[in-house]
Amino acid sequence: AAASRGLRLVVTLYDLIPLIRPTTLESPAAKAWYERKLESLRRADLFLAISDHSRAEAIATAGLAAENVVVVSAAADPCFRVLAPRIEAVQALRARHGILGDYVLYAGGYDPRKNVVHLIAAFAALDTEMRRRYSLVLAGSIDDRQRRELLRCAEQHRLSAADVLFTGYIDDDELALLYNVCAVFVFPSLHEGF
């Protein structure tokens, strides 16, 4: 209908993970919702993919015409940069989240594709001396069910509440500070668009 009025429909294409990994859709309602989204997506005239990877997957798995999928890339917000944080800000951050020493940081979601369960297992597998030196900080919104599941995983690997810390939701400025202060950032995701 838009094309008949001289308009073109352009969409940003982040990823097609639920199409490629259908198990990420946990309920029949989620599957039906995603199918409707795919039908709508296929009516677009142009697709702006956030990466070469997303473009290739869209062409291969959704059958989109290669000439209609262009890469525009994505970028981090300007707040995510190297900082020279004030010691007071770092101390306040550590106090807010119970971070006592050096830490390994993960930031993101907690669905199974993000692979956080295996991150906890890998952290637990560090030698004792290394594990005493670091805590694992998991940053980002998490629901009660996910938190219980990950705490159960940590307990199974003999990790204490001081070993694995959850920040819950944090704003971008605080996340940028966490990135700048961590010893190492880990992103164990099994599949991403970018």
Side-chain angles (χ1 to χ4, degrees):
S4 65
R5 294 191 311 262
L7 302 174
R8 298 289 180 247
L9 178 60
V10 179
V11 297
T12 302
L13 181 63
Y14 288 89
D15 64 60
L16 291 166
I17 292 169
L19 178 62
I20 296 162
R21 295 176 177 266
T23 58
T24 61
L25 299 168
E26 296 178 351
S27 70
K31 289 177 177 140
W33 173 84
Y34 191 72
E35 284 299 322
R36 288 192 305 275
K37 291 295 178 189
L38 283 176
E39 287 174 29
S40 179
L41 175 80
R42 288 188 174 109
R43 288 195 294 269
D45 299 298
L46 180 66
F47 304 89
L48 307 176
I50 64 163
S51 67
D52 289 328
H53 178 73
S54 287
R55 179 181 187 271
E57 283 188 341
I59 294 165
T61 62
L64 303 181
E67 62 273 11
N68 295 337
V69 186
V70 297
V71 177
V72 294
S73 294
D77 188 281
C79 78
F80 296 107
R81 64 190 186 288
V82 176
L83 301 171
R86 292 185 346 265
I87 190 70
E88 300 82 14
V90 173
Q91 289 171 337
L93 173 82
R94 289 179 177 283
R96 251 188 323 279
H97 300 294
I99 303 170
L100 300 177
D102 292 335
Y103 62 94
V104 174
L105 176 64
Y106 165 79
Y110 295 96
D111 60 90
R113 168 181 63 92
K114 297 297 187 175
N115 205 23
V116 178
V117 168
H118 288 106
L119 171 59
I120 291 171
F123 182 77
L126 293 172
D127 68 61
T128 306
E129 196 57 42
M130 182 77 74
R131 233 188 40 240
R132 280 191 194 129
R133 186 173 163 202
Y134 298 96
S135 56
L136 177 61
V137 175
L138 304 176
S141 295
I142 185 168
D143 65 36
D144 289 337
R145 180 191 58 79
Q146 293 166 325
R147 183 186 297 260
R148 282 192 307 272
E149 180 183 306
L150 294 177
L151 284 171
R152 196 169 28 256
C153 175
E155 288 170 5
Q156 289 169 349
H157 290 286
R158 297 186 178 103
L159 295 172
S160 72
D163 293 326
V164 180
L165 306 170
F166 297 89
T167 68
Y169 170 80
I170 54 174
D171 65 30
D172 284 350
D173 290 331
E174 188 168 52
L175 181 56
L177 186 56
L178 277 172
Y179 281 132
N180 273 267
V181 180
C182 72
V184 65
F185 174 75
V186 180
F187 195 68
S189 182
L190 299 172
H191 194 151
E192 293 294 327
F194 183 70

